[in-house]
Every structure is written in structure tokens, then in C-alpha cells.
Amino acid sequence: MNKNKNLKNFYNKVYTKGETNHFTIKRESVSLSEIKEVLKQVSWKDKKVLDVGCGTGLFAFNAAKKGAIVLGIDFSIEAIELAKSQHHHKNLKFLSTDVNTIKEKFDVIVSNGTLEHVDNPIKTLRLLKRHLNKNGCIIITSPNWTNPRGHMLIPLFLLFDAPITLVDLHYFTPIDFKNFAKTLDMKLFWK
């Protein structure tokens, strides 16, 4: 069952309206913080990188500036149009497409805040793994729900079906990521 079948339309509306009119300032600062942390994780020079769910392309652009050859993809046409208009670099390309259409292999695959939105996270992670070059890595950022806020919101969601977020389908904890790594036979490094 495709629970987030309208996700593409949702994000097209978000990017048409403008991120700053949709997301709070706190969300923007969290995104910038995530990007800075991801950029610290590997040496980007000459790495072939896939940015899955790239949104308006800020991470992809910053990785390209560090020497990576980056393909940023998002199924939101509006997001890709914004990315193309805002970020230009010789090592950067943006496509409005789904990860299922990608045929290439990459040294690094990045997914900033997208895994919690997909219907089947393990299926998505298996697909990403198939697109990795030997010794490649997948970098995922995702909200961690093992904190006081999560401990309050998850029971409301489970007991009363109260909406916690607009489009998250999954509320991951570190244990979920340990299980993903075990299932995929991959090493997990946690930050």
C-alpha cells in the first residue's frame, strides 16, 4: 500500500509556496546543521555522489564546492527548478526523477531527512545499496524519536492516531538503524 502517494504533490506545493513560508526558522537551522555535519563525514573530492531527495539543492551544492561530482534528485519538479535556479557548479546536476530510474553507481549516497517519508524504508535502503560502488557509503539523516519530545508524541500517535508530522510515516530510533545495517549486511557508524 502506498501511504505517501500524494507526497510528490505535497512537496510541489511546499516549494511553490516557498520553504520559508512553510517550514519554521527552526527547521531551516536544523537543515543547515545537518548539512554541515554530513559534509564532515567524508572527503568529498572526486567522489561521485547521489543526493536523494535533494530539495532545493543546498547540500548537493555544498558537496560540489568541496570537489564532489553530484547528482541531486527529487521527485518534486518545483524543488528541482528552484535548485537549478539557485545553485550552479560545474560538478553539479539536478534531475526531477525517482531513485528507481537511476542506473549509475556512486561512491556516496546521501539522504537527508527522507527515509522517514518512504513507504518501505528497507526496500529503499536495498535499492540505494545496489547503487553503491565498492567501498561506497550511504549517509542518512533522520529525526531521532528517543528524546523527551518523542516520548510524549509517539504515545499520542499510537494511542490516538494524532498527527505528529505532516508526512512522516516512520519514527526511527537508533535501534531501527542498527537493524537496517544488520539486514543489509553493512557497517553502521553513528553520529
Side-chain angles (χ1 to χ4, degrees), residues 7-16 75-79:
L7 197 58
K8 182 176 182 176
N9 291 335
F10 173 83
Y11 276 107
N12 276 333
K13 288 178 186 173
V14 166
Y15 292 115
T16 300
F75 57 44
S76 169
I77 295 165
E78 297 294 333

Side-chain angles (χ1 to χ4, degrees), residues 7-183:
L7 197 58
K8 182 176 182 176
N9 291 335
F10 173 83
Y11 276 107
N12 276 333
K13 288 178 186 173
V14 166
Y15 292 115
T16 300
K17 186 167 68 169
E19 283 180 288
T20 54
N21 293 326
H22 180 78
F23 296 115
T24 64
I25 292 171
K26 183 175 189 271
R27 175 65 196 139
E28 288 175 14
S29 66
V30 168
S31 293
L32 292 173
S33 175
E34 284 176 1
I35 289 169
K36 288 177 184 176
E37 286 304 313
V38 171
L39 288 170
K40 293 178 189 176
Q41 301 311 307
V42 298
S43 170
W44 297 96
K45 184 143 179 64
D46 299 322
K47 293 283 193 314
K48 190 173 177 187
V49 176
L50 177 64
D51 183 4
V52 178
C54 69
T56 58
L58 186 58
F59 169 79
F61 176 65
N62 280 284
K65 288 193 317 186
K66 292 202 172 274
I69 300 135
V70 185
L71 172 59
I73 64 170
D74 201 295
F75 57 44
S76 169
I77 295 165
E78 297 294 333
I80 292 299
E81 292 304 317
L82 284 168
K84 287 179 178 179
S85 71
Q86 294 174 358
H87 304 295
H88 303 93
H89 195 281
K90 65 180 180 165
N91 292 347
L92 182 59
K93 181 178 176 184
F94 293 108
L95 287 177
S96 177
T97 191
D98 186 283
V99 70
N100 292 306
T101 66
I102 301 298
K103 305 290 184 223
E104 303 167 62
K105 297 247 183 191
F106 299 87
D107 301 308
V108 181
I109 298 174
V110 177
S111 173
N112 285 323
T114 58
L115 192 63
E116 61 273 12
H117 302 269
V118 301
D119 287 316
N120 189 332
I122 196 66
K123 180 180 176 185
T124 300
L125 289 169
R126 281 189 178 113
L127 176 63
L128 296 181
K129 184 180 177 185
R130 283 196 302 268
H131 288 291
L132 277 182
N133 286 326
K134 186 177 180 178
N135 299 320
C137 68
I138 300 171
I139 300 174
I140 304 284
T141 68
S142 179
N144 177 358
W145 288 89
T146 54
N147 56 52
R149 180 177 176 264
H151 291 303
M152 295 299 293
L153 292 175
I154 294 296
L156 292 173
F157 170 71
L158 294 173
L159 293 171
F160 304 109
D161 200 25
I164 297 174
T165 70
L166 295 174
V167 290
D168 287 5
L169 294 178
H170 307 281
Y171 305 97
F172 298 127
T173 69
I175 293 168
D176 293 307
F177 284 93
K178 287 179 182 179
N179 290 334
F180 292 152
K182 185 177 179 182
T183 300

